[in-house]
Amino acid sequence: MTTVDRQRLGGRLGSTELVYLALLGVLVVGAALVAVDGGNLFGTANLVDMLTRSSLLGFVALGQTFVILCGSLDLSVGYVMALCSLIGATTMAGDPAKVPLGIAAALVVAAGIGLLNGLIVSVLKVNPFIATLGMGLIIKGYLDTTYKGPAGDVPSSFQQFGYTRIGFLPLSTAVMLIAVVLGILYLRRTRSGYHMFAVGGSADVARLSGIRTGRVIVTAHVLCAVAAGVAGLLIAARFGTGSALVYSSGYDLDSIAAVVLGGTLLMGGRGGIAGTLAGVLILAVLDTVFNILQVDPFFKDVLRGVVIIAAVAIYARRQIDRRVSRPRFGPGGNGGLPRDRAPDEPVPAGQGEDR
């Protein structure tokens, strides 16, 4: 069997399929470990815990996927979450009639921060790592100066967003899944979604093709910040008040880990939201299993790091194998034209492997 034949057989599984197989494996191994310890991973309480964990990180990772697909990054999401939780809670001030105003105020502020991030990256040409880190530090300084502790009061009607369940499915998880479906449709069915893959694949080629790359990057950062704002409102609903300490919970790095674990290339251009959802679920399952088994928190971080590194190494190896196995010339032999893709690779170059 030639290398190309092996490519045809093995190439049927994209990164999204692989990460869902990994999720299945994590569930099986986790369930076995919990069973040996005398528990049941799929008990109602544990399922609710896993889904609740996934909803909060899911919103942040959803938005992070957009910017990473464009070849950018956002390290300010944790600070945006904290700020929006406080804005929402203080605006609502315990009055059910002010719930829509509190939601709108939080999301408008989040969109404004995303707009600034996008403009700094696309217009001023500041590296996104530096730009978003600097924006996060600005927000942190404001939070530390203005808020000395929890602030605001979330009405009980909005707190239902954080605690209501449909069977074993938390309402917040259901909303997150709807947002994931909308995000997938956005990437697959809209011109702006296709442009994100193009800009992430090669900004210069996209620009020469007539795509306004700056507008695409700004759009991605606005969507990312708004998603973080929704996560901040969810935190306010669960706590009943806004919290400035959310930024220390590591959602910025966890969201990037979930996106990369889901198969999206950190350099952009390939990946998708479906894989990100699986990455979020893997991290949620691991956290739940570690808590049930009472694993030391420091060792838990070590295990999570090993899983993430191993997954990304596998993706990287598959990408190298694909490049090596691509024939230099077409079926015509010596006079054939070079091929851009492997024979059975279904995705056109520049449009990403998964969405």
Side-chain angles (χ1 to χ4, degrees):
M1 181 181 293
T2 65
T3 303
V4 174
D5 291 332
R6 288 193 295 271
Q7 164 84 18
R8 289 175 176 173
L9 292 176
R12 294 176 184 175
L13 290 179
S15 60
T16 300
E17 290 81 4
L18 280 177
V19 73
Y20 275 95
L21 286 176
L23 172 60
L24 179 61
V26 170
L27 283 170
V28 171
V29 173
L33 292 175
V34 172
V36 170
D37 193 55
N40 179 14
L41 180 62
F42 301 110
T44 302
N46 291 331
L47 285 176
V48 171
D49 181 61
M50 284 187 287
L51 294 174
T52 300
R53 291 175 182 275
S54 66
S55 60
L56 193 56
L57 179 59
F59 283 116
V60 187
L62 168 64
Q64 195 75 253
T65 304
F66 292 122
V67 292
I68 291 180
L69 280 175
C70 293
S72 189
L73 199 66
D74 193 339
L75 294 178
S76 67
V77 288
Y79 304 98
V80 173
M81 290 171 62
L83 178 62
C84 288
S85 74
L86 289 163
I87 291 175
T90 53
T91 303
M92 294 176 191
D95 186 356
K98 293 183 179 179
V99 168
L101 180 61
I103 295 174
L107 296 184
V108 167
V109 170
I113 294 172
L115 177 63
L116 286 175
N117 281 335
L119 290 175
I120 293 172
V121 172
S122 61
V123 177
L124 299 182
K125 306 300 181 184
V126 178
N127 183 282
F129 181 94
I130 301 300
T132 58
L133 178 60
M135 181 62 69
L137 292 177
I138 292 173
I139 299 173
K140 179 180 182 296
Y142 170 76
L143 293 175
D144 292 343
T145 303
T146 308
Y147 300 97
K148 303 303 181 183
D153 183 15
V154 177
S156 58
S157 58
F158 187 69
Q159 290 185 35
Q160 301 304 314
F161 177 46
Y163 292 103
T164 300
R165 294 199 330 236
I166 306 172
F168 65 85
L169 181 67
L171 177 61
S172 58
T173 305
V175 175
M176 184 270 291
L177 292 175
I178 293 173
V180 165
V181 172
L182 292 176
I184 292 173
L185 292 176
Y186 174 78
L187 290 177
R188 288 185 173 182
R189 301 296 176 85
T190 67
R191 179 176 298 180
S192 179
Y194 278 102
H195 289 175
M196 287 184 180
F197 287 100
V199 172
S202 175
D204 292 334
V205 173
R207 188 181 300 109
L208 293 174
S209 301
I211 297 175
R212 297 181 178 180
T213 57
R215 177 180 297 181
V216 175
I217 292 174
V218 169
T219 300
H221 276 281
V222 170
L223 290 174
C224 181
V226 169
V230 174
L233 289 172
L234 175 57
I235 287 175
R238 290 181 182 171
F239 291 170
T241 184
S243 174
L245 300 179
V246 175
Y247 62 71
S248 62
S249 299
Y251 284 105
D252 45 5
L253 298 181
D254 281 351
S255 64
I256 295 173
V259 173
V260 175
L261 186 59
T264 298
L265 296 184
L266 195 56
M267 299 301 293
R270 298 180 74 89
I273 293 173
T276 296
L277 175 61
V280 168
L281 292 174
I282 287 176
L283 294 180
V285 172
L286 288 175
D287 284 342
T288 300
V289 171
F290 293 154
N291 287 340
I292 294 173
L293 300 179
Q294 299 181 344
V295 176
D296 182 87
F298 297 103
F299 187 59
K300 178 178 70 174
D301 290 336
V302 171
L303 293 177
R304 289 182 66 184
V306 169
V307 170
I308 293 170
I309 292 174
V312 175
I314 291 173
Y315 297 150
R317 181 62 186 175
R318 291 180 75 247
Q319 293 296 326
I320 293 174
D321 290 342
R322 284 186 175 185
R323 294 190 186 102
V324 171
S325 63
R326 289 176 182 174
R328 291 179 57 84
F329 299 97
N334 295 332
L337 294 174
R339 296 178 62 94
D340 292 330
R341 296 185 285 123
D344 289 343
E345 189 175 346
V347 181
Q351 292 187 9
E353 180 181 281
D354 308 303
R355 296 185 197 130

